[in-house]
Amino acid sequence: MIPEPNANSSLIVWEIAVPAPLHTTFEYLPHDNIAPPEVGARVLVPFSGRESVGFFIQSREATLADPQKLKRVIDVLDHQSLIEPALLTLLRWVADYYLIPTGDALMMGLARNERKGKPSWTAPLNALKAVASLEDARIALSRAPQQLRALELIGNKIRTLKDIESQGISKATLRALTQTSFVEKVVNDTTHHTEKGYTPPLTPDQADITNSVADSLSSFTTHLIDGVTGSGKTAIYIECIKRVIDTGQQVLVLVPEIGLTPQTRSRFESALGLQVPVIHSGVSDTERSRAWAMARSGAAPVILGTRSSVFCSFKSLGLIIVDEEHDSSLKQQDHPRYSARDVAVKRGQVCNCPVVLGSATPSLETLANALNHRYHHHRLTERAAAAKLPDIKLVDTRGLALTAGLSDEAISAIETTIARGEQALLFLNKRGFARSIQCEDCGWIAECHNCDSIMAVHKSPPQLRCHHCLAHRPTPRSCGSCNSVRLTSRGVGTEQLETFLSRKMRQTPLFRVDSDSVPNLTALNALLDNIRQTPSAILLGTQMLSKGHHFPRVTCVVIVDSDGLLFSADFRAEERLLQLLTQVSGRSGRAELPGQVLIQTRSPNHPLIKHAATTPYLELARTLLDQRRALGLPPHGALGVIRADAKQERDAIEFLNQTREVLADDAICRLLGPMPALMTRRAGLFRYHIVVHSQSRKRVHQTLKKAINVGSNLKIGRKISWFVEIDPTEIV
Ligand SMILES: Nc1ncnc2c1ncn2[C@@H]1O[C@H](COP(=O)(O)OP(=O)(O)OP(=O)(O)O)[C@@H](O)[C@H]1O
Ligand SMILES: [Zn+2]
């Protein structure tokens, strides 16, 4: 929001975007005697008492009244922008649409080391190549037999230093050899190829979809592959990727969770015979920078990553695939807030390439676009090859005595599955031993001191833990209110279920997969490998286990507590429940063996739970879409949120009241609030918001933009933490 250039001024300044929580760019005096770099190039500037990396936007006349106060650009880090023009356009759109300061948005287009001002990753010269004839070398190196041996080993190939060393040549010999004119240090790029495995031929339906995507290459078209679980969407992605890389272009594949990258990567690498670099938070900085550089140079035909890789640089992007497009993890819930799926579609438009969105349970937003023909809607209603969709049954647990949350019917189904030598998967979305601890005499429940929430009971280590903040404390021996020692734990968590099953079915291997038992990706990988190698086992876990995984030997799925998923104030709660039930059920019977699913519930008459077993997802989703239309809620209307978090409750309310006073509230754009968020106090902060609702997204956007201007000028805004968000996925 730089003012119009001042006509009287002739002082030339550089407009620089600096990553800072200020929605403006800044003016600096040009760097000494240097021509302006390309738009988007990195510069080093003094900012807030330190040196900061910023981005050159343009050179123009100064607007400030007092040019004496201007500081000078310290250094120009690159003359050519590291961010290619199409990505720059995308990032500027992201800054504008998601109301993110330009500097913060542009930062997302750089690898992590580049953000710190470091040079881009360059491939290490890790191999040697002979550049003269061996005959000449034999004469010159007659007194250095080891160097000569190394040269013979190299022959007319490129051999890595490591490889030559493994043949008994010392580092010192290699160092001496590289000083001669007989060899040259080069980059070894033979690691780009991997062994190709067998891929089954596509079914006619899969082939049709692939052809439709392939027909749209080099143009912006969005395809929804709406295929039931196990219908072979991945096989379609692979075939589409092959077609694109055959034309010399690159493909970006997004998955919602880190945990899905190893499985997808190995399937891609084996099918394509190519190394597929991955980008996600679990990858080391160097590996990430390498992947980024390979994408930017065009050396990597395919990049696989989680949401932030939607901003990866590409030399020639020809296709974007978003798998599990409905997944809420594709939405970044912290600053800078954006939906990687929506950005992916925009990127397809900017780069003029097709975008494929795949899911067995498409989001209502995507479905609405498919139903009104903005997206191509491809459907796969059956599983690939011999697999059939599982039989789903509701188990009404009202009045039943449950053991560790399991009905007798569920226990018997698990036992039968194990007796058949297959795997049973139990889904329970609650970590720890129990949901809460309560006093039997006065009803006291242990609560978190920082949040409006109850503490979960954990056994290893024994403590109470809040799942909303990092708080934990020793499990009390007596009631916090009346001192009674009659304390009971309520509600079952994965630890309790694990304890029960490991006692009841001693001989059966049991794998628990949740964020307590699996601290990182390496541990998850090891566990998933173990699961694949154990023909008969019980798998027990949270969403970490259920999302997108392919376990061919799972033939029985038990959803232990579907009621725990039911009650939420968020307007997307029903959509999420339906997606979760369908996705978790979809882990059963994915190969030749037939599968079954038991959904335990105390609400068998709830419309979604009742129909989840018998009605296809699309039909239920259409009903939800009708309800949204009736309420004018997304995808039929637009929402925004102005949120304030403060240590003092009154400060959050006051900030929102003052903001609201200035914003227009009319029949077209309604403002609701200030009102408390559902969990009003979280991690020690009081959270309040104003919800902005309109049938016009433009109006919501304008209102939020104005809220930023208003909020930035409020004194109280400096005391608290606040933000605006367009298209929020959670308003609770
Ligand atoms: N044309 C085919 N012929 C034989 N087997 C196939 C074919 N296509 C896919 N499959 C197999 O079907 C199984 C399920 O495929 P895949 O994992 O791709 O499904 P999906 O649609 O991605 O499932 P989900 O949405 O549940 O993740 C895999 O084992 C895969 O190898
Ligand atoms: Zn807490």
Side-chain angles (χ1 to χ4, degrees):
M1 277 147 272
I2 284 270
E4 286 301 307
N6 177 349
N8 297 325
S9 158
S10 57
L11 180 69
I12 295 296
V13 292
W14 286 5
E15 182 184 339
I16 306 291
V18 181
L22 294 167
H23 290 260
T24 182
T25 47
F26 300 88
E27 295 186 348
Y28 285 90
L29 295 171
H31 185 51
D32 292 331
N33 305 325
I34 287 189
E38 227 174 59
V39 181
R42 296 176 306 164
V43 293
L44 203 61
V45 292
F47 189 81
S48 265
R50 60 187 171 86
E51 288 185 1
S52 169
V53 172
F55 298 91
F56 176 81
I57 301 293
Q58 62 171 329
S59 173
R60 58 164 170 73
E61 288 182 358
T63 58
L64 288 183
D66 186 2
Q68 301 299 327
K69 288 195 175 149
L70 285 177
K71 297 199 171 110
R72 191 171 290 281
V73 168
I74 301 168
D75 201 2
V76 172
L77 298 177
D78 327 293
H79 284 277
Q80 274 186 320
S81 170
L82 293 176
I83 304 172
E84 79 267 13
L87 182 57
L88 196 63
T89 309
L90 179 81
L91 291 167
R92 294 182 92 165
W93 174 84
V94 164
D96 181 62
Y97 184 72
Y98 289 105
L99 301 151
I100 299 169
T102 308
D104 286 348
L106 295 186
M107 272 295 169
M108 296 196 285
L110 296 179
R112 218 188 254 187
N113 55 336
E114 295 163 353
R115 293 178 192 182
K116 296 175 195 153
K118 294 189 185 151
S120 300
W121 184 90
T122 45
L125 301 174
N126 59 351
L128 291 183
K129 182 178 147 190
V131 288
S133 80
L134 201 54
E135 277 62 45
D136 293 347
R138 280 207 176 101
I139 300 160
L141 296 176
S142 59
R143 288 179 175 200
Q146 281 304 311
Q147 290 185 40
L148 203 54
R149 220 189 110 218
L151 258 183
E152 281 162 358
L153 281 171
I154 295 167
N156 54 6
K157 295 203 186 87
I158 290 176
R159 293 200 70 161
T160 63
L161 298 170
K162 232 183 184 170
D163 190 13
I164 309 171
E165 274 173 42
S166 73
Q167 303 291 316
I169 306 286
S170 71
K171 275 195 168 68
T173 306
L174 283 178
R175 224 176 294 130
L177 181 62
T178 46
Q179 306 293 324
T180 70
S181 55
F182 299 107
V183 291
E184 187 179 271
K185 269 190 152 183
V186 291
V187 176
N188 170 49
D189 58 1
T190 53
T191 51
H192 295 345
H193 292 274
T194 58
E195 202 168 319
K196 220 168 176 170
Y198 168 76
T199 37
L202 295 183
T203 62
D205 285 347
Q206 288 173 322
D208 284 348
I209 300 175
T210 308
N211 289 335
S212 165
V213 176
D215 285 345
S216 69
L217 297 186
S218 304
S219 69
F220 168 55
T221 321
T222 309
H223 299 263
L224 165 63
I225 306 182
D226 171 5
V228 294
T229 53
S231 54
K233 295 182 283 295
T234 314
I236 301 178
Y237 303 155
I238 289 170
E239 197 49 42
C240 292
I241 294 172
K242 283 186 187 161
R243 307 260 186 117
V244 176
I245 58 184
D246 278 351
T247 69
Q249 286 197 296
Q250 297 167 281
V251 183
L252 166 65
V253 185
L254 297 179
V255 290
E257 293 279 343
I258 285 192
L260 289 175
T261 51
Q263 168 187 302
T264 314
R265 179 188 209 172
S266 66
R267 267 181 88 176
F268 281 10
E269 291 193 337
S270 138
L272 301 168
L274 280 173
Q275 205 183 65
V276 175
V278 292
I279 299 181
H280 57 66
S281 59
V283 175
S284 73
D285 266 11
T286 321
E287 262 307 290
R288 235 201 294 193
S289 304
R290 178 170 171 266
W292 203 278
M294 286 171 77
R296 185 184 279 143
S297 68
V302 186
I303 291 284
L304 171 68
T306 46
R307 61 174 180 253
S308 65
S309 42
V310 74
F311 300 115
C312 187
S313 251
F314 284 89
K315 187 168 185 215
S316 171
L317 190 57
L319 173 69
I320 306 171
I321 297 171
V322 184
D323 192 22
E324 311 290 351
E325 69 81 34
H326 65 280
D327 199 295
S328 56
S329 302
L330 288 167
K331 173 80 205 277
Q332 170 128 322
Q333 302 289 8
D334 298 322
H335 177 78
R337 293 173 176 78
Y338 62 88
S339 152
R341 179 201 56 220
D342 297 348
V343 173
V345 174
K346 182 71 192 176
R347 189 159 191 184
Q349 188 190 14
V350 170
C351 297
N352 210 27
C353 75
V355 181
V356 170
L357 308 178
S359 174
T361 53
S363 63
L364 296 190
E365 274 79 2
T366 298
L367 212 49
N369 279 320
L371 295 174
N372 68 24
H373 308 293
R374 285 182 61 186
Y375 296 174
H376 285 261
H377 192 179
H378 307 283
R379 295 192 65 202
L380 289 168
T381 52
E382 283 172 10
R383 283 190 160 171
K388 295 271 167 298
L389 283 166
D391 284 329
I392 306 180
K393 187 182 171 202
L394 293 188
V395 179
D396 180 356
T397 55
R398 288 174 302 180
L400 296 185
L402 304 180
T403 323
L406 293 176
S407 60
D408 290 346
E409 189 173 351
I411 295 174
S412 137
I414 298 165
E415 284 173 335
T416 320
T417 308
I418 299 303
R420 284 199 308 265
E422 297 160 11
Q423 294 179 342
L425 185 154
L426 279 62
F427 173 77
L428 178 59
N429 220 11
K430 191 73 196 173
R431 291 184 285 125
F433 188 81
R435 279 170 198 267
S436 64
I437 190 162
Q438 189 170 24
C439 170
E440 286 194 39
D441 289 323
C442 75
W444 170 87
I445 294 181
E447 289 176 351
C448 176
H449 300 320
N450 307 323
C451 307
D452 291 336
S453 87
I454 52 176
M455 302 283 275
V457 184
H458 284 247
K459 284 273 157 97
S460 57
Q463 58 184 203
L464 296 183
R465 253 195 258 168
C466 172
H467 291 177
H468 303 282
C469 69
L470 296 174
H472 57 88
R473 58 180 193 259
T475 314
R477 290 172 189 277
S478 60
C479 170
S481 173
C482 74
N483 271 331
S484 160
V485 288
R486 300 200 324 131
L487 297 181
T488 325
S489 55
R490 303 215 179 273
V492 178
T494 47
E495 268 186 353
Q496 189 173 151
L497 201 48
E498 180 187 34
T499 312
F500 165 71
L501 287 168
S502 58
R503 282 195 196 131
K504 178 149 183 81
M505 302 178 70
R506 257 174 228 286
Q507 309 301 326
T508 312
L510 196 151
F511 301 101
R512 191 181 109 209
V513 186
D514 60 33
S515 54
D516 295 325
S517 60
V518 186
N520 53 40
L521 188 62
T522 317
L524 179 64
N525 258 334
L527 201 61
L528 294 177
D529 272 352
N530 225 336
I531 290 174
R532 276 187 207 104
Q533 282 158 23
T534 314
S536 183
I538 300 175
L539 328 180
L540 153 67
T542 54
Q543 294 212 35
M544 198 181 210
L545 175 68
S546 62
K547 270 188 184 179
H549 289 292
H550 180 68
F551 302 117
R553 293 199 61 80
V554 168
T555 54
C556 171
V557 162
V558 179
I559 298 177
V560 180
D561 177 20
S562 58
D563 307 304
L565 311 166
L566 256 184
F567 305 103
S568 160
D570 192 76
F571 75 97
R572 285 178 211 269
E574 294 202 309
E575 178 187 353
R576 295 243 168 83
L577 170 67
L578 182 60
Q579 288 163 342
L580 195 65
L581 291 178
T582 314
Q583 290 288 348
V584 179
S585 303
R587 298 312 110 200
S588 187
R590 290 171 67 89
E592 301 78 36
L593 303 164
Q596 63 165 333
V597 178
L598 297 181
I599 302 178
Q600 298 199 132
T601 179
R602 267 173 279 115
S603 321
N605 296 319
H606 183 280
L608 279 187
I609 299 217
K610 191 164 145 190
H611 293 116
T614 50
T615 315
Y617 174 82
L618 185 61
E619 218 169 293
L620 296 174
R622 274 180 190 268
T623 319
L624 294 180
L625 266 175
D626 289 343
Q627 289 169 8
R628 296 267 184 95
R629 185 180 295 115
L631 295 169
L633 286 171
H636 294 289
L639 285 174
V641 107
I642 309 166
R643 248 277 295 282
D645 296 359
K647 279 202 176 118
Q648 302 293 330
E649 193 166 17
R650 60 170 184 274
D651 289 343
I653 301 171
E654 184 54 28
F655 171 81
L656 294 175
N657 273 330
Q658 289 187 26
T659 307
R660 188 185 165 137
E661 261 173 36
V662 191
L663 300 177
D665 182 359
D666 54 34
I668 300 174
C669 188
R670 291 194 307 143
L671 302 178
L672 311 165
M675 56 186 168
L678 193 63
M679 187 182 291
T680 311
R681 195 160 161 267
R682 187 172 177 163
L685 296 176
F686 288 92
R687 308 168 335 134
Y688 277 74
H689 56 218
I690 294 175
V691 175
V692 185
H693 179 210
S694 173
Q695 291 311 295
S696 149
R697 173 170 277 107
K698 201 169 161 197
R699 276 299 302 273
V700 173
H701 196 260
Q702 281 168 351
T703 307
L704 294 180
K705 211 166 184 173
K706 192 162 175 195
I708 289 179
N709 280 338
V710 175
S712 306
N713 290 316
L714 289 179
K715 214 166 149 193
I716 192 164
R718 280 176 237 145
K719 252 172 92 177
I720 65 162
S721 145
W722 62 275
F723 64 85
V724 304
E725 184 175 17
I726 185 117
D727 307 334
T729 48
E730 280 172 8
I731 321 183
V732 285

